[in-house]
């Protein structure tokens, strides 16, 4: 082989090493911003149900008396069906009811005719006894109306899942930093994490239930109600983290 050809071959073989060295020089002292993402899912372990009672009568006291009695009966049913559940009453209201009459001819100041009173109240139930929930709800529906129901995570489950999503996000950050360093031809020992910015914006708590409109109730509740069917579903928590990596 001629001396010129030997020189050309040596130059070609040296190109990858020279390119790697040039890449390492160009990235020295650089700061890399790496976004990462963590997501964890767990089955819901808590239910939040809202029951309502509403009565209407010409006599305001009579309507209030029936509401008070039925709410007391309904709460007793809920306590028997689920002794460990948490109950909270709220939203007691009393509204006048007017006749929807349209005068034959316009009047200067039409007077609305009061024909009765509408009285109602809500009670919220929070329980982790999901297996017994259908039976408890069916029993309470003999007196009260199921006005809303949603599932979520208990405080303990939220705490555990929050820890898991932080770990998942940080683990994903380390994995992505490793991938980027490998693509740049750098060793993990050449880099150090300068800043870790946790921007957790996942749903920490289940969505709040929508505002509930009072619905008129029938005068007589049915003797028995078939058990409803519920699927608690699951909750997913997410977290976004951004790391600043410094290269030597």
């Amino acid at each position: 082989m001629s001396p010129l050809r030997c020189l050309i071959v040596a130059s070609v073989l040296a190109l990858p090493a020279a390119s790697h060295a040039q890449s390492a020089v160009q990235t020295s002292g650089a700061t890399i911003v790496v976004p990462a993402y963590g997501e964890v899912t767990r089955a819901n372990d808590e239910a939040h149900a809202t029951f309502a009672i509403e009565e209407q009568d010409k006599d305001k006291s009579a309507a209030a008396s029936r509401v008070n009695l039925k709410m007391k009966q309904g709460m007793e049913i809920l306590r028997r069906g689920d002794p460990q559940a948490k109950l909270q009453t709220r939203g007691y209201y009393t509204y006048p009811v007017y006749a929807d009459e349209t005068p034959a001819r316009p009047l200067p100041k039409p007077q609305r005719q009061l024909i009765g009173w509408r009285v109602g109240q809500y009670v919220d139930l929070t329980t982790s006894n999901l297996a017994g929930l259908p039976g408890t709800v069916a029993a309470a529906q003999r007196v009260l109306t199921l006005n809303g129901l949603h599932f979520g995570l208990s405080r303990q489950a939220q705490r555990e899942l929050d820890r898991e999503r932080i770990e998942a996000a940080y683990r994903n950050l380390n994995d992505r930093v490793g991938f980027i360093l490998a693509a740049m031809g750098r060793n993990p020992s050449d880099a150090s994490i300068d800043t870790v910015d946790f921007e957790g914006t996942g749903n920490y708590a289940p969505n709040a239930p929508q505002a509930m409109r009072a619905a008129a109730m029938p005068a007589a509740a049915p003797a028995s109600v078939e058990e409803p069917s519920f699927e608690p579903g699951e909750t997913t928590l997410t977290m976004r983290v951004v790391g600043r990596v410094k290269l030597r």
Side-chain angles (χ1 to χ4, degrees), residues 10-21:
S11 299
V12 172
L13 293 177
L15 280 177
S19 177
H20 177 78

Side-chain angles (χ1 to χ4, degrees), residues 13-137:
L13 293 177
L15 280 177
S19 177
H20 177 78
Q22 184 180 11
S23 175
V25 171
Q26 290 176 347
T27 58
S28 294
T31 298
I32 307 171
V33 179
V34 183
Y37 183 78
E39 178 179 290
V40 288
T41 301
R42 177 173 293 194
N44 291 324
D45 65 342
E46 191 171 83
H48 305 269
T50 297
F51 297 88
I53 180 66
E54 182 177 283
E55 291 288 337
Q56 183 172 325
D57 199 286
K58 293 181 179 180
D59 185 346
K60 180 168 60 174
S61 298
S65 180
R66 291 200 301 271
V67 166
N68 297 346
L69 177 59
K70 290 185 178 181
M71 178 57 70
K72 181 179 180 181
Q73 293 173 343
M75 291 180 64
E76 289 175 351
I77 293 173
L78 292 174
R79 289 193 181 98
R80 287 197 304 268
D82 192 346
Q84 304 302 318
K86 296 179 182 179
L87 299 179
Q88 179 179 353
T89 56
R90 63 175 177 84
Y92 200 108
Y93 60 89
T94 304
Y95 296 136
V97 179
Y98 297 96
D100 296 329
E101 295 182 355
T102 303
R105 57 182 178 177
L107 299 177
K109 292 184 178 180
Q111 299 294 324
R112 301 178 65 190
Q113 181 183 0
L114 179 66
I115 61 173
W117 296 87
R118 181 181 294 118
V119 182
Q121 188 179 15
Y122 297 94
V123 58
D124 295 327
L125 174 143
T126 301
T127 181
S128 57
N129 182 13
L130 302 187
L133 182 63
T136 301
V137 169

Side-chain angles (χ1 to χ4, degrees), residues 169-182:
Y170 192 70
R171 185 165 53 249
N172 183 248
L173 175 63
N174 282 322
D175 290 343
R176 301 196 74 186
V177 169
F179 299 153
I180 293 173
L181 291 176

